[in-house]
Amino acid sequence: MSRLWSVEHEANNWNDDLFSGTYSECVAYCGERGYKIDGIECRLAEVETDENGCVIDTYNIVNEL
């Protein structure tokens, strides 16, 4: 199992992660694509995944930077 951060987008009802990595990598990913981390367009989620990459738990949601 591993803990990481993911970028979630409202356009897909927050279901699929667009990108996963460290917190800094996710912030950079959003900045490079012009996504606002505001809880309306995008948000970041700290998640734990199993050995298959499936999310098994969510620890934190960041709706605003």
Side-chain angles (χ1 to χ4, degrees):
M1 290 189 264
S2 83
R3 269 174 95 153
L4 49 94
W5 285 88
S6 69
V7 175
E8 299 178 339
H9 201 281
E10 183 278 332
N12 63 3
N13 295 318
W14 313 109
N15 288 326
D16 283 330
D17 301 334
L18 293 175
F19 176 83
S20 297
T22 67
Y23 183 85
S24 296
E25 289 170 337
C26 288
V27 170
Y29 176 90
C30 290
E32 291 165 3
R33 286 155 182 79
Y35 295 146
K36 289 183 187 176
I37 302 169
D38 59 4
I40 297 169
E41 181 180 353
C42 273
R43 66 185 184 187
L44 303 181
E46 183 183 20
V47 297
E48 185 171 16
T49 59
D50 66 13
E51 59 278 349
N52 297 316
C54 296
V55 174
I56 56 174
D57 208 348
T58 301
Y59 296 98
N60 292 300
I61 300 285
V62 175
N63 285 314
E64 191 173 353
L65 288 185

